[in-house]
Amino acid sequence: MKDISLDAKLRELAALEADLHNRDFLLTWEHTPAELRSILLTAQCLRGLHDAGRSLRVFDTGLAVSIFRDQSTRTRFSFASAANALGLALSDLDETKSQIAHGETVRETAIMISFLAEAVGIRDDIYLGEGDRYMREFAAALQEGYEQGMLSRRPAVINLQSDLDHPTQTLADLLHLDRRFGGLDKLGGRKFVISWAYSPSYGKPLSVPQGLIGILPRFGMDVTLVHPEGYDLLPEVIELAARQAAAGGGAFHVSHDMAEAFDGAEVVYPKSWAPMQVARRRTELLRKADQAGLKALEKECLDENARHASWQCDEALMKRTAAGSALYMHCLPADISGVSCEKGEVSKDVFERYRIETYREAAWKPFVIAALIFLTRVPDAQATLRRMVDSGTPRIR
Amino acid sequence: MKDISLDAKLRELAALEADLHNRDFLLTWEHTPAELRSILLTAQCLRGLHDAGRSLRVFDTGLAVSIFRDQSTRTRFSFASAANALGLALSDLDETKSQIAHGETVRETAIMISFLAEAVGIRDDIYLGEGDRYMREFAAALQEGYEQGMLSRRPAVINLQSDLDHPTQTLADLLHLDRRFGGLDKLGGRKFVISWAYSPSYGKPLSVPQGLIGILPRFGMDVTLVHPEGYDLLPEVIELAARQAAAGGGAFHVSHDMAEAFDGAEVVYPKSWAPMQVARRRTELLRKADQAGLKALEKECLDENARHASWQCDEALMKRTAAGSALYMHCLPADISGVSCEKGEVSKDVFERYRIETYREAAWKPFVIAALIFLTRVPDAQATLRRMVDSGTPRIR
Amino acid sequence: MKDISLDAKLRELAALEADLHNRDFLLTWEHTPAELRSILLTAQCLRGLHDAGRSLRVFDTGLAVSIFRDQSTRTRFSFASAANALGLALSDLDETKSQIAHGETVRETAIMISFLAEAVGIRDDIYLGEGDRYMREFAAALQEGYEQGMLSRRPAVINLQSDLDHPTQTLADLLHLDRRFGGLDKLGGRKFVISWAYSPSYGKPLSVPQGLIGILPRFGMDVTLVHPEGYDLLPEVIELAARQAAAGGGAFHVSHDMAEAFDGAEVVYPKSWAPMQVARRRTELLRKADQAGLKALEKECLDENARHASWQCDEALMKRTAAGSALYMHCLPADISGVSCEKGEVSKDVFERYRIETYREAAWKPFVIAALIFLTRVPDAQATLRRMVDSGTPRIR
């Protein structure tokens, strides 16, 4: 196979100054645009090779360890798929859920599970103020283990969703946009609306909207964040989005009028999240294991949510978007009115119209994760990728 | 290794008109005799190669996804073994048990877990009227995902036991019979008795007896189904068995006298199952999560079972079989009187005499599953098998 | 890579008369010193190869089955790592915990999970008088399965901790001592103290102290077992330790004064265990599922423990050791005063000083397990190891 598009991507990749080898991947905003582009290009190459029936295997053996401190079918399978595609075996660390571990426990666990590991994927998004911190503590323990000679290599810590960011989701989202608009360089100036939407559940993480405002303006998009008063994201991420918009040629606005925000949008991403203030109080209550307090907070929050039940993405709203045909996006699963709940984030007709598109959006995630492991762990990633494109082996013998 | 018997099997395989590539495998009666024979021959070849120390690996990477909606150690390990032997990594979808999922949930889940999957093995045998339906809904979602380009290949759905059929068990049973009688062509006219037997438990699936009457007459066997009045199987499967017996040269009878049925039998397969009517009521109660109703039904059914406690396969019954030495078969685990329960399906002495044989029967299952994945997923399965026989690599380097 | 030290180890290995092929590994004292040395040398070679980036893969496919009848993160990951490094896929048998299985259940389970297995790792350390017995019953079933032709190969049963011994831990401990003192031949005469230590928990297994006294004197060490009156180990293991000390040139003493025992020690291993008599009573109560009895026994034992709360390894005790700088060892996790509990086995400052060393100690375990699987399952293990050293393939392609 001599795939011209893969060849072009490899040349584009070679032109970037990006080196992720031996690093972790926790927040997109800790990485340069070139690094983000190199991940996206690598993901596209890996997917192209896979679709062409090529094997993506680079590891003869090795473990990919997953730590899910929250339930997850989709991300779990994406990580399992990525690990397997590269030749790593999945090993799941089943931690007693909802426990906040620190200190010696984290340090010891990090070493004990990593003797033959290449990557550790962590999902820890329940406690605001905890997930990212846990990942850094874990990574520091691995670093010490490597420097002190307990580990002969330094596994990469991959953020599979923290309290701050959900990079594997937002990078998959960018690849979906790339495909929709014909290239990352075609995103500049397009209006992207991240909207809060009603859900009969409470306490959804902030990481998806935060991750989106943290990355899209860097690719020149005109981003509007819209939510009811009080459903704030973390102020430091809001400031970051504004700063990055200025630097990246994009724009960033905050609004509280969903209908108005949809006007002229080319992409809409309506989803529920818990207000930052609620997430913070929830973390405190969880820390104290205050069940009564948690019940009370849930009731309070659901009552508040109910006041915004009209924040649903329906056909009327979609009509206001550019040419009435904005791209609807969602990280799944969506709360679909009349399908998965009585009233939810999106009407049945809108979701059904974009259902296949949301699956396509999700389809990028295994390849994004594979790209992250590939770039952080393979010593000469570009040369290896070139070899896979030029003379790779078929996946089925 | 130049194995003459494998060579003969490969030639036999080549003579069959059977193509299972890119298909699912849900019910044996949806497949032609040639297709069933090709599975059995392939399973024998794979086992022969394995026993000779050859590697059966055909996939460099890839996932085999298992969905067990009922507990299972044996089938789980058979699927894990088959997947591993071919080079696939197992990934288990741990669904909240006893939940009947439909619609968007099934469609979405099917795609999300299949981006890099080759096969999806499903066991869903608890709800009469649900298991097979679920598998078809799942398969349809995969088909859509493949046609719409979300999946670059179409994973095969493999029935690991549904409410209707248990094909990996009955195909393993046929291989056991082949070995016992010296070939599938030696089965014609032999009397095979599928008998209900007493068990202190309630609610065992109908799929094993249904699967047996659905396949054995097609291989010319003289099949007698015997059970107490009221312990009916699904009428459509009964009709199918009769039809297929006529077409396949076999015979099919239903009787209610266990002792008489054993007269002259060459094979007996005594096992418990719940009456179809009970299974149907149970599905309704489970749907409504009616715990009190389920309790009442269980009591009613156990009381009814107790009236037939004499339906136990013991030495007296075995004496009535052909030369007093019919082959005793069971899908395991058996309810053994005085061993796993006070009174059960089979007496201790009969089981102990055939214990090793029941293990031999079970030993075929991993290879049957491997054959199903191999034939549905490897593009030119016969040529690949030929290559494995002629110049395969050892499993231990 | 031409590694001189690996070459030396291979020559040393060749000089030993040791053949573990097709055997199980349950107790170190069932094996000759040459066999134990061959395991240690193989583990060192495998680790050397791994650290040099070589692949340790010898199996193209195959399963490693784990049966953990007690919770375990560390041993679980060690086994998963070892299996993966050699090319085996892990398959976990999730038995209903705390159930004592015997007879037909064990025989059948052993066969059903082993059709394509190479190794079965079992941890069963809760019931004194049961774990080792279960492993032997399991191994006998595999042997029968192999002899009767159900299994085309005989998987090795590997003791991952029984009621009697914890060989993968003590062999890892020996490798840690080898590294510390510059060779196994440098251990002779050095004072090693295995000390009971206070823990706020109850019922820790006897297998670590028993395993240590069962192996260290064979390597010429001067072993002192010290514990409060009543915290006895099994008398047969005590006798064995004494016998082996005489035969191996080492020494074995029992004492009840922790401080005195520390005098001049070069290594100390302070950890908690339940008195043998308590472990025996506990097994009886667990067998009868006597919850009230278990509660009462726990209270009695914790009260007794509390009387020995001063048995803590602190800096004052460490000062009494040889040059005040004995090596502190632990199988982890340790009960660290002020860290994982209020008062425990070791003071915070002592543990922190040796923390990295305890991780180094643990780092050997995956390679010990890999060596055990390698030597019991690879037909010509030495030649294969020689090939891996001379012309192995890199782990990353």
Short mmCIF file of all heavy atoms in Angstrom, two decimals, chain B residues 80-108:
data_model
loop_
_atom_site.label_atom_id
_atom_site.label_comp_id
_atom_site.label_asym_id
_atom_site.label_seq_id
_atom_site.Cartn_x
_atom_site.Cartn_y
_atom_site.Cartn_z
N ALA B 80 -12.46 -17.21 26.03
CA ALA B 80 -11.14 -16.61 26.28
C ALA B 80 -10.04 -17.44 25.63
O ALA B 80 -9.11 -16.90 25.02
CB ALA B 80 -10.89 -16.50 27.78
N SER B 81 -10.16 -18.76 25.73
CA SER B 81 -9.14 -19.64 25.15
C SER B 81 -9.13 -19.54 23.63
O SER B 81 -8.07 -19.46 23.00
CB SER B 81 -9.42 -21.09 25.56
OG SER B 81 -9.37 -21.23 26.96
N ALA B 82 -10.33 -19.56 23.04
CA ALA B 82 -10.43 -19.49 21.59
C ALA B 82 -9.87 -18.17 21.06
O ALA B 82 -9.10 -18.14 20.10
CB ALA B 82 -11.89 -19.65 21.16
N ALA B 83 -10.26 -17.09 21.71
CA ALA B 83 -9.79 -15.77 21.30
C ALA B 83 -8.27 -15.72 21.37
O ALA B 83 -7.60 -15.32 20.42
CB ALA B 83 -10.41 -14.69 22.20
N ASN B 84 -7.74 -16.13 22.50
CA ASN B 84 -6.30 -16.09 22.70
C ASN B 84 -5.56 -16.95 21.68
O ASN B 84 -4.53 -16.56 21.13
CB ASN B 84 -5.97 -16.55 24.12
CG ASN B 84 -4.49 -16.79 24.31
OD1 ASN B 84 -4.03 -17.93 24.23
ND2 ASN B 84 -3.72 -15.74 24.49
N ALA B 85 -6.10 -18.13 21.41
CA ALA B 85 -5.43 -19.04 20.48
C ALA B 85 -5.27 -18.41 19.10
O ALA B 85 -4.28 -18.63 18.41
CB ALA B 85 -6.19 -20.35 20.37
N LEU B 86 -6.27 -17.60 18.71
CA LEU B 86 -6.22 -16.97 17.38
C LEU B 86 -5.46 -15.65 17.40
O LEU B 86 -5.23 -15.05 16.35
CB LEU B 86 -7.64 -16.75 16.86
CG LEU B 86 -8.50 -18.01 16.67
CD1 LEU B 86 -9.90 -17.62 16.19
CD2 LEU B 86 -7.86 -18.98 15.69
N GLY B 87 -5.11 -15.16 18.58
CA GLY B 87 -4.35 -13.91 18.67
C GLY B 87 -5.17 -12.70 19.08
O GLY B 87 -4.67 -11.58 19.05
N LEU B 88 -6.42 -12.91 19.47
CA LEU B 88 -7.26 -11.80 19.90
C LEU B 88 -7.21 -11.62 21.42
O LEU B 88 -7.09 -12.60 22.15
CB LEU B 88 -8.72 -12.04 19.48
CG LEU B 88 -8.97 -12.21 17.97
CD1 LEU B 88 -10.44 -12.58 17.72
CD2 LEU B 88 -8.60 -10.95 17.21
N ALA B 89 -7.30 -10.39 21.86
CA ALA B 89 -7.36 -10.11 23.29
C ALA B 89 -8.81 -10.03 23.72
O ALA B 89 -9.64 -9.47 23.01
CB ALA B 89 -6.65 -8.79 23.61
N LEU B 90 -9.09 -10.60 24.87
CA LEU B 90 -10.46 -10.60 25.37
C LEU B 90 -10.77 -9.28 26.06
O LEU B 90 -9.96 -8.74 26.81
CB LEU B 90 -10.62 -11.73 26.39
CG LEU B 90 -12.04 -12.01 26.84
CD1 LEU B 90 -12.87 -12.56 25.69
CD2 LEU B 90 -12.03 -13.00 27.98
N SER B 91 -11.95 -8.77 25.80
CA SER B 91 -12.41 -7.57 26.50
C SER B 91 -13.84 -7.83 26.91
O SER B 91 -14.69 -8.07 26.07
CB SER B 91 -12.29 -6.37 25.56
OG SER B 91 -12.03 -5.20 26.28
N ASP B 92 -14.07 -7.82 28.20
CA ASP B 92 -15.39 -8.18 28.70
C ASP B 92 -16.25 -6.95 28.93
O ASP B 92 -15.82 -6.00 29.58
CB ASP B 92 -15.23 -8.97 30.01
CG ASP B 92 -16.54 -9.59 30.44
OD1 ASP B 92 -17.17 -10.27 29.61
OD2 ASP B 92 -16.95 -9.39 31.59
N LEU B 93 -17.45 -6.97 28.36
CA LEU B 93 -18.40 -5.89 28.64
C LEU B 93 -19.23 -6.31 29.83
O LEU B 93 -20.04 -7.22 29.74
CB LEU B 93 -19.29 -5.63 27.43
CG LEU B 93 -20.39 -4.58 27.67
CD1 LEU B 93 -19.78 -3.21 27.93
CD2 LEU B 93 -21.34 -4.50 26.50
N ASP B 94 -19.01 -5.64 30.94
CA ASP B 94 -19.70 -6.03 32.15
C ASP B 94 -20.99 -5.24 32.27
O ASP B 94 -21.04 -4.18 32.87
CB ASP B 94 -18.79 -5.77 33.36
CG ASP B 94 -19.39 -6.36 34.62
OD1 ASP B 94 -20.33 -7.17 34.51
OD2 ASP B 94 -18.92 -6.02 35.71
N GLU B 95 -22.04 -5.74 31.67
CA GLU B 95 -23.32 -5.04 31.73
C GLU B 95 -23.96 -5.25 33.09
O GLU B 95 -23.82 -6.30 33.70
CB GLU B 95 -24.25 -5.59 30.66
CG GLU B 95 -23.80 -5.25 29.25
CD GLU B 95 -25.02 -5.12 28.36
OE1 GLU B 95 -25.66 -6.14 28.12
OE2 GLU B 95 -25.30 -3.99 27.91
N THR B 96 -24.67 -4.26 33.54
CA THR B 96 -25.45 -4.46 34.75
C THR B 96 -26.32 -5.66 34.47
O THR B 96 -27.09 -5.68 33.54
CB THR B 96 -26.36 -3.24 35.03
OG1 THR B 96 -25.99 -2.18 34.17
CG2 THR B 96 -26.30 -2.83 36.46
N LYS B 97 -26.14 -6.65 35.27
CA LYS B 97 -26.78 -7.92 34.97
C LYS B 97 -28.30 -7.83 35.04
O LYS B 97 -28.87 -6.96 35.69
CB LYS B 97 -26.25 -9.03 35.87
CG LYS B 97 -26.07 -8.65 37.32
CD LYS B 97 -25.21 -9.67 38.04
CE LYS B 97 -24.74 -9.17 39.40
NZ LYS B 97 -24.04 -7.91 39.43
N SER B 98 -28.93 -8.74 34.39
CA SER B 98 -30.40 -8.91 34.37
C SER B 98 -31.14 -7.65 33.91
O SER B 98 -32.25 -7.39 34.29
CB SER B 98 -30.93 -9.36 35.73
OG SER B 98 -30.66 -8.39 36.72
N GLN B 99 -30.49 -6.87 33.09
CA GLN B 99 -31.15 -5.70 32.53
C GLN B 99 -31.46 -5.99 31.06
O GLN B 99 -30.60 -6.49 30.34
CB GLN B 99 -30.19 -4.51 32.63
CG GLN B 99 -30.86 -3.17 32.57
CD GLN B 99 -29.83 -2.07 32.52
OE1 GLN B 99 -28.69 -2.26 32.93
NE2 GLN B 99 -30.21 -0.91 32.01
N ILE B 100 -32.65 -5.70 30.66
CA ILE B 100 -33.01 -5.94 29.25
C ILE B 100 -32.83 -4.63 28.49
O ILE B 100 -33.62 -3.70 28.64
CB ILE B 100 -34.45 -6.46 29.11
CG1 ILE B 100 -34.62 -7.73 29.97
CG2 ILE B 100 -34.76 -6.76 27.66
CD1 ILE B 100 -36.00 -8.35 29.87
N ALA B 101 -31.78 -4.54 27.69
CA ALA B 101 -31.49 -3.31 26.96
C ALA B 101 -32.03 -3.39 25.54
O ALA B 101 -32.02 -4.45 24.93
CB ALA B 101 -29.99 -3.06 26.93
N HIS B 102 -32.48 -2.26 25.05
CA HIS B 102 -33.00 -2.21 23.69
C HIS B 102 -32.69 -0.86 23.07
O HIS B 102 -32.25 0.06 23.73
CB HIS B 102 -34.52 -2.40 23.66
CG HIS B 102 -34.92 -3.83 23.77
ND1 HIS B 102 -34.44 -4.79 22.93
CD2 HIS B 102 -35.73 -4.46 24.66
CE1 HIS B 102 -34.95 -5.96 23.29
NE2 HIS B 102 -35.71 -5.79 24.34
N GLY B 103 -32.98 -0.79 21.79
CA GLY B 103 -32.98 0.48 21.10
C GLY B 103 -31.63 1.17 21.11
O GLY B 103 -30.60 0.56 20.89
N GLU B 104 -31.65 2.47 21.40
CA GLU B 104 -30.45 3.28 21.30
C GLU B 104 -29.31 2.73 22.14
O GLU B 104 -28.15 2.74 21.73
CB GLU B 104 -30.76 4.73 21.69
CG GLU B 104 -29.58 5.67 21.72
CD GLU B 104 -28.75 5.67 20.45
OE1 GLU B 104 -29.21 5.17 19.41
OE2 GLU B 104 -27.59 6.12 20.49
N THR B 105 -29.62 2.21 23.33
CA THR B 105 -28.56 1.69 24.19
C THR B 105 -27.80 0.57 23.49
O THR B 105 -26.57 0.52 23.49
CB THR B 105 -29.16 1.16 25.52
OG1 THR B 105 -29.92 2.21 26.10
CG2 THR B 105 -28.08 0.72 26.47
N VAL B 106 -28.54 -0.35 22.90
CA VAL B 106 -27.90 -1.47 22.21
C VAL B 106 -27.12 -0.98 21.00
O VAL B 106 -25.96 -1.35 20.79
CB VAL B 106 -28.95 -2.53 21.77
CG1 VAL B 106 -28.29 -3.60 20.91
CG2 VAL B 106 -29.61 -3.14 22.98
N ARG B 107 -27.75 -0.12 20.20
CA ARG B 107 -27.09 0.38 18.99
C ARG B 107 -25.78 1.08 19.34
O ARG B 107 -24.75 0.84 18.74
CB ARG B 107 -28.01 1.36 18.25
CG ARG B 107 -29.20 0.68 17.61
CD ARG B 107 -29.90 1.61 16.64
NE ARG B 107 -30.36 2.84 17.30
CZ ARG B 107 -31.13 3.76 16.73
NH1 ARG B 107 -31.50 3.61 15.47
NH2 ARG B 107 -31.51 4.82 17.39
N GLU B 108 -25.85 1.95 20.34
CA GLU B 108 -24.66 2.70 20.71
C GLU B 108 -23.58 1.80 21.29
O GLU B 108 -22.42 1.86 20.90
CB GLU B 108 -25.03 3.78 21.73
CG GLU B 108 -23.98 4.87 21.84
CD GLU B 108 -23.90 5.44 23.23
OE1 GLU B 108 -24.92 5.72 23.85
OE2 GLU B 108 -22.75 5.59 23.70
#
